[in-house]
Amino acid sequence: MSGSNHNRGMIRSEFYRSVQAAYDAMGITDLATIVPSTVGSERYVLGNTPDVPVLRGNSTPIKQFSGLPWDIVNGEYLSGMEVGIADYERDQTGQTKKIAGQMGLRCGQLWSSHQDALLLNGESEPTYNGQNLFDTQHQVGKSPEQSNLLTGTEVPALSAVSDADAPTPEEFVDVVTGMIGYMMTYMDDANEPLHEMARSFSVFVHPLVFASAITGVSANLLGGGNTPKTSVLQGTGGFKIKVYARPRLTEEEDVFVARTDCPGMSAMILQEETKPRITFMGPGSEYADTHFKYRTNAYMRGAVGTGEPLMITKGTMS
């Protein structure tokens, strides 16, 4: 294989294509708002929404911008692959390009793994409002205490499944719609409905529940046999629900539902100081002349942290 600029361009193209593919396939931006970062740590002011307009003259329509500070600290990440010059030049199957693609996927998987850690440990992961990501006492401003840690008490469908580790598609639809319905009761810091205009949601489940989840959410008819019934998700006023299997999740009975269409507000923040990028030290480089090898590096700086906890709910089937 030649070390031409053409091949270098192909390596870079494959890397960046794979990074985007990873973001899309794992629903990374469904869980997190991407925020550019310019320093090692960023401070956010969360929990502040405007008041509903009032009739002029009846009260002061100006709300002072405030909120609760929340810091997210960036990490620095590097991975590299070396290949001998002879092996590179003899590569007739494009393995170097494939390795660049795999490095791009790994960059996406890094953020996915950080998100999964927050999902798995959410009952002990702090948020800006002083409560954990999944908690029963979220309260900001004028809002009441609210729970995004749901059981059959809040959503009866969670305790109505025949097998908590293997719900049927029909049961899973009831679980998801019940959790979304419960989210619709949340109030913001001005004590106004937080999800009144919500229409898009993403669901994250254990891979062994994925078949029931995707069937239930996407099917036109459910039940099979001679008397199938129309799915309750058909004709639901423009609602869009996507399902993702997250292999790092450990409990089949846990279901995570996140709203994905709230402007500038998500359950998590993906802070990017340096977006994933690739460098290739190939023919003519000092590295190649010194080590008789070519090297490909993937580099990124950033972090995943908690955002607005009431953008997501955790339900446990039983």
Side-chain angles (χ1 to χ4, degrees), residues 10 13 19 47 90 105 120 167 175 184 189 200 214 220 234 237 243 272 276 303 316:
M10 291 178 62
S13 176
V19 170
R90 293 167 181 164
L105 292 175
L120 288 167
V175 165
M184 293 292 187
D189 69 300
S200 295
I214 194 67
N220 291 316
Q234 302 306 310
V243 179
E272 289 188 328
T316 300

Side-chain angles (χ1 to χ4, degrees), residues 169-170 215 219 221-230:
E170 295 89 342
T215 299
L221 297 174
L222 292 171
N226 296 321
T227 58
K229 63 178 183 179
T230 301

Side-chain angles (χ1 to χ4, degrees), residues 155-271:
V155 179
L158 285 166
S159 58
V161 296
S162 54
D163 184 342
D165 294 338
T168 67
E170 295 89 342
E171 291 170 341
F172 194 84
V173 166
D174 291 341
V175 165
V176 170
T177 53
M179 292 176 66
I180 290 174
Y182 193 85
M183 290 180 74
M184 293 292 187
T185 68
Y186 293 158
M187 309 299 282
D188 62 21
D189 69 300
N191 204 32
E192 294 292 337
L194 179 60
H195 297 305
E196 185 174 15
M197 293 177 285
R199 291 297 181 271
S200 295
F201 299 86
S202 287
V203 181
F204 300 84
V205 295
H206 188 282
L208 295 182
V209 182
F210 180 74
S212 289
I214 194 67
T215 299
V217 167
S218 61
N220 291 316
L221 297 174
L222 292 171
N226 296 321
T227 58
K229 63 178 183 179
T230 301
S231 171
V232 296
L233 292 180
Q234 302 306 310
T236 50
F239 277 80
K240 297 178 181 178
I241 301 175
K242 294 189 287 187
V243 179
Y244 296 94
R246 285 287 183 99
R248 295 183 190 86
L249 298 181
T250 57
E251 304 296 334
E252 291 94 326
E253 62 265 29
D254 289 340
V255 180
F256 302 89
V257 178
R259 181 183 175 186
T260 61
D261 64 351
C262 186
M265 193 182 298
S266 299
M268 301 178 189
I269 295 170
L270 171 49
Q271 184 171 282

Side-chain angles (χ1 to χ4, degrees), residues 116-185:
D116 289 341
L118 291 179
L119 294 178
L120 288 167
N121 303 308
E123 293 178 50
S124 59
E125 285 287 345
T127 66
Y128 76 92
N129 66 15
Q131 303 302 314
N132 295 318
L133 178 59
F134 300 117
D135 209 297
T136 60
Q137 296 179 311
H138 290 292
Q139 193 277 325
V140 179
K142 299 177 183 178
S143 78
E145 288 190 350
Q146 302 171 106
S147 175
N148 67 344
L149 185 59
L150 309 180
T151 66
T153 301
E154 295 80 21
V155 179
L158 285 166
S159 58
V161 296
S162 54
D163 184 342
D165 294 338
T168 67
E170 295 89 342
E171 291 170 341
F172 194 84
V173 166
D174 291 341
V175 165
V176 170
T177 53
M179 292 176 66
I180 290 174
Y182 193 85
M183 290 180 74
M184 293 292 187
T185 68

